Amino acid sequence: MQRYFASSELHVDDSFTLDTATRRHAATVLRMQPGDQFELADSRGKVFTSTITDLDPLTVHVDEDITRDVELPVDVTIVCGVAKSQKAELITQKATELGVSRVVFANSQWGTARWEATRMRRKLERLQLIARGAAEQSHRNKIPQVDFLPKLTDAKKILADAKLIAYEESAKQGEAGQLIQTLSAHPRSLVVVFGPEGGIAPTEIEQLTAAGFKNAALGPRILRTETAPLYLLSAISALTELRKDE
Amino acid sequence: MQRYFASSELHVDDSFTLDTATRRHAATVLRMQPGDQFELADSRGKVFTSTITDLDPLTVHVDEDITRDVELPVDVTIVCGVAKSQKAELITQKATELGVSRVVFANSQWGTARWEATRMRRKLERLQLIARGAAEQSHRNKIPQVDFLPKLTDAKKILADAKLIAYEESAKQGEAGQLIQTLSAHPRSLVVVFGPEGGIAPTEIEQLTAAGFKNAALGPRILRTETAPLYLLSAISALTELRKDE
């Protein structure tokens, strides 16, 4: 069943009116009619079946609470050196499917791309829409937030129980234990910094390390900048959501 | 250092001449000169540093064996319902980075796309080139093979120690143990079938199940057809290549 997101708390038997973008998708793209149903996730991450009572504006009756927890047990923020538009879109879409809580892009010393302040608002709006669409499609209970930081090392200002740097050099040196060790402490939140295509500069590593970030390898192969966050999120799911026995 | 692949066995102090596509990349794109070095993986997966002795044809002296095992401990074949070109390219590129051994595309009952026999050769050649490029970039020791099967259920003819279906309905029913259980038997080879965008038909599931395939969920979220193989490969790496303690 199609899933949409509501911007406020919902309760069974509420009548709720959706925004115009959702109306356009439901009425024009999917040609839904009064009486048709979809799933609606509210601002708390609760999910309800709902039935269309009016098309213009799109209004539903909230039917039944069908909430099932599909969110990662760890609140993961990824901080990525900025990438070209297409790669930023791929990271945002796939990381959303794989359960990320927050996607942050940041300019960095060695990055081959930079985001300028003038075009920032449109860029973030577009990426936020992609996150919303991917959250609907993957039946997430929450839409990840997409943000920007002027410097990669500003990641040290993000509050989290655990902090990692996905550092390619660690993999080359045979590091293979940091991610599992970090997860074994059952952090509720985790922030992970990924270098841009040009790599992370030693001074950036130093600043992040001084702020408590630890270097972690994501397997022995060299991953592209847009692949590493997808490995991380899949690995966290495998290590925390998959079980040893049925 | 740049990595290329040689089509035969190499030994230290050999002189070896590379193919014209590699020559073009080294001489024209990277503007390499005699005396410049690159890494060369041979047909057995051994890796050597090598020094250019001649540019036309591109000939090297094989210097030193620097082989380091970066291949997944399980030989993984993914069988994917065919997707539009761009998605097939994404799957091939990312699965290569993440350690796949063989990528097979297959027409299926409910797939929204089909590959026709007339254009197959060009399609596979293009995807094989993408696999080669991604293997170079991610410093794999081997280039994954890209193939096609006329039917998704032909996957049952593939020989492997373990056989799985990545089945969305399993996730909805709360299945979460099959992948770890399968890996705990330390299979040397694993084949995993992924449905196309339209999903796997019940008769296809039946045929594969009768041939020993088991349904496995890849976490509780719904993944797009091109994301599921990337989750699988990352999960296998996390569960077999990452260690508990340093």
Side-chain angles (χ1 to χ4, degrees):
Chain A
M1 199 184 286
Q2 175 66 37
R3 174 167 301 194
Y4 292 122
F5 286 88
S7 51
S8 56
E9 276 190 27
L10 297 178
H11 302 92
V12 168
D13 284 336
D14 278 359
S15 175
F16 183 77
T17 299
L18 287 102
D19 59 275
T20 53
T22 305
R23 183 200 175 279
R24 204 174 309 125
H25 190 263
T28 312
V29 181
L30 299 183
R31 298 172 185 275
M32 285 186 173
Q33 297 294 332
D36 285 348
Q37 287 197 307
F38 53 77
E39 297 172 4
L40 199 50
D42 81 356
S43 58
R44 296 165 300 176
K46 286 198 168 291
V47 183
F48 302 85
T49 52
S50 66
T51 305
I52 299 177
T53 55
D54 199 349
L55 273 184
D56 200 3
L58 178 61
T59 308
V60 295
H61 176 266
V62 177
D63 298 332
E64 192 188 347
D65 186 335
I66 54 161
T67 309
R68 190 170 71 88
D69 189 13
V70 297
E71 295 296 317
L72 272 183
V74 195
D75 211 75
V76 182
T77 296
I78 58 172
V79 181
C80 305
V82 300
K84 287 172 198 153
S85 295
Q86 227 187 334
K87 292 200 171 177
E89 291 175 12
L90 184 74
I91 291 170
T92 304
Q93 184 193 68
K94 298 291 167 239
T96 298
E97 286 177 62
L98 294 167
V100 78
S101 288
R102 190 174 166 212
V103 180
V104 182
F105 292 96
N107 285 334
S108 71
Q109 284 183 39
W110 285 359
T112 49
R114 288 189 77 77
W115 286 6
E116 303 303 335
T118 47
R119 301 177 59 194
M120 195 64 64
R121 212 182 111 199
R122 277 196 57 195
K123 256 187 210 292
L124 288 177
E125 277 174 6
R126 177 161 171 73
L127 291 172
Q128 191 63 60
L129 271 181
I130 285 170
R132 186 192 187 107
E136 288 171 0
Q137 165 124 20
S138 58
H139 284 218
R140 292 280 306 271
N141 294 2
K142 289 178 182 170
I143 305 172
Q145 193 185 331
V146 185
D147 287 314
F148 174 78
L149 284 173
K151 289 192 299 186
L152 198 65
T153 48
D154 289 339
K156 64 191 178 196
K157 297 175 189 163
I158 296 173
L159 295 176
D161 290 351
K163 302 175 173 201
L164 296 174
I165 308 167
Y167 192 38
E168 206 172 80
E169 295 302 321
S170 299
K172 289 185 192 159
Q173 287 154 23
E175 195 288 308
Q178 190 60 58
L179 180 61
I180 289 183
Q181 199 181 312
T182 299
L183 292 175
S184 68
H186 300 288
R188 276 168 308 171
S189 55
L190 171 67
V191 56
V192 187
V193 174
F194 296 86
E197 259 175 79
I200 307 185
T203 55
E204 290 172 325
I205 295 278
E206 276 166 33
Q207 284 185 54
L208 290 168
T209 304
F213 283 75
K214 292 190 171 138
N215 293 331
L218 303 176
R221 288 163 298 282
I222 295 172
L223 303 176
R224 282 181 207 229
T225 183
E226 76 275 16
T227 314
L230 313 187
Y231 178 108
L232 173 90
L233 291 160
S234 305
I236 291 175
S237 167
L239 295 168
T240 62
E241 294 183 322
L242 299 186
R243 282 192 308 273
K244 204 143 193 164
D245 289 297
E246 272 300 78
Chain B
M1 200 184 288
Q2 176 66 38
R3 174 167 301 194
Y4 292 123
F5 286 88
S7 51
S8 56
E9 275 190 28
L10 298 177
H11 302 92
V12 168
D13 284 335
D14 279 358
S15 174
F16 183 77
T17 299
L18 287 103
D19 58 275
T20 52
T22 305
R23 185 203 173 277
R24 205 175 308 126
H25 190 263
T28 313
V29 181
L30 299 183
R31 298 171 185 278
M32 285 185 173
Q33 296 294 331
D36 286 349
Q37 288 198 306
F38 53 79
E39 297 172 4
L40 200 50
D42 81 355
S43 57
R44 297 165 299 176
K46 286 199 169 289
V47 184
F48 302 84
T49 51
S50 66
T51 305
I52 299 176
T53 54
D54 197 349
L55 272 185
D56 199 4
L58 179 61
T59 308
V60 296
H61 176 266
V62 177
D63 299 332
E64 191 189 346
D65 186 334
I66 54 161
T67 308
R68 191 169 70 86
D69 189 13
V70 298
E71 295 296 318
L72 272 184
V74 195
D75 210 77
V76 183
T77 297
I78 59 173
V79 181
C80 305
V82 300
K84 287 172 197 155
S85 295
Q86 226 187 336
K87 292 201 172 180
E89 292 176 11
L90 184 74
I91 290 171
T92 304
Q93 183 193 69
K94 298 291 167 239
T96 299
E97 286 177 62
L98 294 166
V100 79
S101 288
R102 189 175 167 212
V103 180
V104 183
F105 292 97
N107 285 333
S108 72
Q109 284 184 38
W110 286 359
T112 49
R114 288 189 78 77
W115 286 6
E116 303 303 335
T118 49
R119 301 177 60 195
M120 194 65 64
R121 212 183 111 198
R122 279 197 55 196
K123 256 188 210 291
L124 288 177
E125 277 174 5
R126 177 160 172 72
L127 291 171
Q128 191 62 61
L129 271 182
I130 286 171
R132 186 191 187 107
E136 288 171 1
Q137 165 122 21
S138 57
H139 284 216
R140 291 279 305 271
N141 294 2
K142 290 178 181 169
I143 305 173
Q145 194 185 329
V146 184
D147 287 315
F148 173 78
L149 283 173
K151 289 191 301 187
L152 197 64
T153 48
D154 289 339
K156 64 192 177 196
K157 297 176 192 163
I158 297 173
L159 295 176
D161 291 349
K163 303 177 172 199
L164 296 174
I165 309 167
Y167 192 37
E168 205 172 80
E169 295 302 320
S170 298
K172 289 185 191 157
Q173 286 153 23
E175 196 288 308
Q178 190 60 58
L179 180 61
I180 289 183
Q181 200 182 313
T182 298
L183 293 175
S184 68
H186 301 289
R188 277 167 308 170
S189 55
L190 171 68
V191 56
V192 187
V193 174
F194 296 86
E197 260 175 76
I200 307 185
T203 55
E204 289 172 325
I205 295 280
E206 275 166 34
Q207 284 185 54
L208 291 168
T209 305
F213 282 75
K214 291 190 171 138
N215 292 331
L218 304 175
R221 288 161 298 283
I222 295 172
L223 303 176
R224 283 182 206 229
T225 184
E226 75 275 17
T227 314
L230 314 186
Y231 177 108
L232 173 90
L233 292 160
S234 305
I236 291 175
S237 168
L239 295 167
T240 62
E241 294 183 320
L242 299 186
R243 283 191 310 272
K244 205 142 194 164
D245 289 296
E246 272 301 75

